[in-house]
Amino acid sequence: MIAIAIQDGNTHFCHGIRILIDRASQKMNIPYVILPAEHADIARLLFISITHFREYQKQWYLPCLPQHQQLVIISSRRETSSLAPRPCSSSPPRLYREESVETVSRKIGDWLLCTHLGQCLIPTTSCHRCPTHHLSPFEKRFLSLLINNYSLIRTATILRMDNVRARALYQSIIQKLDSRSREQLRHCIRSL
């Protein structure tokens, strides 16, 4: 049984998502239960509004979630542009408020099936158009910390590496992505 939670201030939108989840689960014969928003920490599939994220310097940052939890972001297309940039291999799927009912129900059906089968909603590989597709997973993790406003020293501490190696890795990533500064790295990732 899939435990699902929805955290959104718009009750009409939440009700619509519940109806679409019910239709998709009946069609695919997948058992589910919708938990109250206060029990979202134990849900396997979490639909969360972008307004529940932490805001820092006019950008939204994803909350830290348990490993077992799948995250779907609810937002408008305008709000998504203010989401902190991340490499596409670590960006959770999005549910836009402006999308048609058919598109939303197709997406929800796919997410329910993936969660039921134990698959991750976030792709494990990058698309070929992504500038980070040739970076190693460790380099992508390093880059995502830097882009999320961690200093080079703090990033090195988190990843348990010395400052000299961190500086060399930073220079290597800048060369691979053909950038000159951290701002160009942010722009490179945001332009995806």
Side-chain angles (χ1 to χ4, degrees):
M1 179 171 291
I2 300 174
I4 302 170
I6 306 169
Q7 287 187 332
D8 189 27
N10 187 341
T11 56
H12 295 295
F13 193 76
C14 287
H15 185 68
I17 291 175
R18 285 189 181 116
I19 291 171
L20 294 176
I21 288 171
D22 187 51
R23 287 182 187 167
S25 66
Q26 284 178 0
K27 187 186 293 184
M28 293 183 281
N29 199 19
I30 297 174
Y32 76 97
V33 62
I34 294 186
L35 302 172
E38 53 270 4
H39 297 295
D41 55 337
I42 60 171
R44 273 186 56 202
L45 183 59
L46 175 61
F47 292 85
I48 186 169
S49 173
I50 196 169
T51 56
H52 284 66
F53 295 169
R54 182 174 56 91
E55 186 176 11
Y56 176 72
Q57 293 182 351
K58 296 183 182 178
Q59 288 185 336
W60 300 102
Y61 288 87
L62 295 177
C64 293
L65 297 172
Q67 194 71 22
H68 73 278
Q69 210 165 38
Q70 302 283 343
L71 175 72
V72 176
I73 299 172
I74 301 171
S75 69
S76 66
R77 292 192 189 276
R78 182 180 43 80
E79 289 173 327
T80 303
S81 64
S82 65
L83 191 62
R86 299 165 64 92
C88 68
S89 61
S90 63
S91 183
R94 294 179 179 95
L95 185 62
Y96 297 112
R97 297 181 193 280
E98 300 91 5
E99 290 179 323
S100 66
V101 174
E102 294 81 23
T103 305
V104 172
S105 60
R106 181 184 49 79
K107 282 183 173 183
I108 287 176
D110 292 344
W111 296 331
L112 277 176
L113 185 60
C114 286
T115 306
H116 180 67
L117 297 175
Q119 298 172 346
C120 186
L121 299 181
I122 300 171
T124 55
T125 58
S126 305
C127 61
H128 65 280
R129 291 172 283 154
C130 179
T132 64
H133 77 278
H134 57 278
L135 297 178
S136 70
F138 184 77
E139 288 173 326
K140 289 178 184 177
R141 174 80 175 125
F142 185 85
L143 179 63
S144 68
L145 288 171
L146 283 177
I147 287 175
N148 285 322
N149 292 329
Y150 284 98
S151 68
L152 194 60
I153 295 170
R154 178 78 175 125
T155 301
T157 306
I158 291 171
L159 297 176
R160 295 186 180 105
M161 56 192 302
D162 61 296
N163 294 342
V164 176
R165 184 169 172 237
R167 199 172 314 280
L169 186 60
Y170 176 69
Q171 293 300 325
S172 170
I173 290 173
I174 282 183
Q175 285 178 344
K176 286 180 181 179
L177 296 178
D178 197 27
S179 300
R180 291 188 183 88
S181 67
R182 191 179 291 192
E183 281 304 313
Q184 282 187 339
L185 281 175
R186 278 196 187 106
H187 180 70
C188 178
I189 300 301
R190 183 175 280 142
S191 65
L192 298 174

